[in-house]
Amino acid sequence: MSDSEILLGEFRRTIDDRYRLSIPPELADQLHKEGSELVLAKERPGCLGLYNSTPWQGQLDEAVDWVADKVDAGKLGGQVDDLLTLGRLLSTRHCEVQLAGRGRLVIPEGFREFLGVAPGDPVFVVGAAISVEIWNPPAWVSYLEDRMPEFRSLLTQLSE
Amino acid sequence: MSDSEILLGEFRRTIDDRYRLSIPPELADQLHKEGSELVLAKERPGCLGLYNSTPWQGQLDEAVDWVADKVDAGKLGGQVDDLLTLGRLLSTRHCEVQLAGRGRLVIPEGFREFLGVAPGDPVFVVGAAISVEIWNPPAWVSYLEDRMPEFRSLLTQLSE
DNA sequence: ACTGTTTTGGGTATGTTTCCCACAAAAGAG
DNA sequence: CTCTTTTGTGGGAAACATACCCAAAACAGT
């Protein structure tokens, strides 16, 4: 059960001249199987994350409600700046998308620059357990060099 | 039958034009008999490991279940980031494979560069007790020079 | 409404993979 | 020593997937 719900795999794809990119079927099926909408998020420069919107929406609503309650209650204290920042990030960070025909994702304006790709460029599509990520190749390589040494300790840490 | 419990042996093979390599029957039989699927892993530059997937799957399920419980309990905290990281590393380090006809393994894209082989190059196929490893010859030689002196102490340490 | 521009969908080519089968070398039996 | 069987490597052809390209559709401005 749970084993087949983990999104895994690394694939090389190229960005269309119209900023479209085909998601590998094994990942797309799993993301889309619930029939729900998808959410594209700016994870970090050079990396976009593609989530199933239902779990995502739940967490997000929770966070927003929590902040809204605080605002209503008037107990923001000195956290106004933080609130403003959070609002800005919430506004720009994600966007609802859907896979077009042939399992193709159109990368929206604003996300293109963040991903740092031009039409015709290659990217890596990577399964990240609960999401599918699109990586700019240099960012991916550099990330791996950085984090790969942690692998074994992470696995054992999360296993016990 | 203690002879069939652990994978042992050193064999010289060559990678053909299509990045195929034949696994010696005595190793292939043992790997394939217990479970269905196999997992190929990037062990270290110049070395790939071939595992029976069931142990891996178990360990991974454990990790994911652990995090899933925390998520359900509402205390995700920084654990989501850890899960994402683990997923990414798993995606690039491991890959499900199966032996093609004649017990041959096709080395997938991405693993070729890591192994550092070109079509026609020789490799060593080595039994590593619980896995079968594919070594780039220079890496193998250098590894042996490095670790062979430990042999006797390792043996006594592990047998008592 | 018309026209120029952008987006969406899908046919098709090209390169890759997969499934076989053939041959050759090596190992084992008589 | 020779014949038989097993094993390793090569290659052809079919199947598949990806990405390029063009046509239809949607949109917007005039």
Side-chain angles (χ1 to χ4, degrees), chain A residues 38-42 48-50 93-95 97 105 108 111 134:
Chain A
L38 301 178
V39 168
L40 188 67
K42 298 170 186 167
L48 303 178
L50 193 59
R93 194 182 151 115
H94 21 259
C95 120
V97 293
L105 168 73
F111 289 74
I134 300 136

Side-chain angles (χ1 to χ4, degrees), chain A residues 34-47:
Chain A
E34 323 228 332
S36 51
E37 295 293 323
L38 301 178
V39 168
L40 188 67
K42 298 170 186 167
E43 293 288 348
R44 68 187 70 206
C47 172

Side-chain angles (χ1 to χ4, degrees), chain A residues 5-53:
Chain A
E5 298 189 3
I6 313 173
L7 296 155
L8 288 180
E10 182 192 34
F11 307 85
R12 202 193 146 280
R13 286 294 125 95
T14 60
I15 301 281
D16 204 290
D17 41 335
R18 298 290 192 252
Y19 288 98
R20 298 176 294 186
L21 116 83
S22 60
I23 305 295
E26 46 265 70
L27 297 180
D29 290 348
Q30 242 182 91
L31 267 180
H32 202 65
K33 79 165 48 156
E34 323 228 332
S36 51
E37 295 293 323
L38 301 178
V39 168
L40 188 67
K42 298 170 186 167
E43 293 288 348
R44 68 187 70 206
C47 172
L48 303 178
L50 193 59
Y51 294 81
N52 195 326
S53 75

Side-chain angles (χ1 to χ4, degrees), chain B residues 13-14 18 20 22 25 102 104:
Chain B
R13 288 292 123 95
T14 60
R18 305 175 189 178
R20 299 176 296 184
S22 56
R102 215 28 141 244
R104 273 193 291 195

Side-chain angles (χ1 to χ4, degrees), chain A residues 22-106:
Chain A
S22 60
I23 305 295
E26 46 265 70
L27 297 180
D29 290 348
Q30 242 182 91
L31 267 180
H32 202 65
K33 79 165 48 156
E34 323 228 332
S36 51
E37 295 293 323
L38 301 178
V39 168
L40 188 67
K42 298 170 186 167
E43 293 288 348
R44 68 187 70 206
C47 172
L48 303 178
L50 193 59
Y51 294 81
N52 195 326
S53 75
T54 5
W56 182 261
Q57 207 60 40
Q59 287 178 36
L60 205 53
D61 290 347
E62 219 176 314
V64 171
D65 287 348
W66 183 78
V67 174
D69 285 351
K70 270 211 157 182
V71 172
D72 288 345
K75 33 169 133 175
L76 275 173
Q79 296 184 314
V80 174
D81 280 343
D82 284 346
L83 179 61
L84 290 173
T85 302
L86 180 62
R88 293 184 196 109
L89 296 183
L90 278 175
S91 296
T92 187
R93 194 182 151 115
H94 21 259
C95 120
E96 289 233 341
V97 293
Q98 51 186 3
L99 298 187
R102 201 62 130 257
R104 275 190 296 191
L105 168 73
V106 183

Side-chain angles (χ1 to χ4, degrees), chain A residues 2-3 6 8-10 126-128 130-131 133 135 143-144 147-148 151-152 154-155 157-160, chain B residues 43 56-57 59-67 82-94:
Chain A
S2 64
D3 53 355
I6 313 173
L8 288 180
E10 182 192 34
V126 180
I130 57 173
S131 76
E133 296 183 336
W135 284 80
Y143 177 84
L144 286 182
R147 307 299 289 274
M148 188 58 90
F151 170 73
R152 214 165 276 278
L154 239 183
L155 184 59
Q157 171 197 330
L158 288 180
S159 300
E160 68 199 19
Chain B
E43 293 291 347
W56 269 116
Q57 211 63 25
Q59 208 171 359
L60 187 56
D61 287 348
E62 239 177 297
V64 171
D65 288 347
W66 183 81
V67 175
D82 282 346
L83 182 60
L84 289 175
T85 302
L86 179 65
R88 293 183 194 114
L89 297 183
L90 276 175
S91 287
T92 191
R93 271 187 78 108
H94 308 288

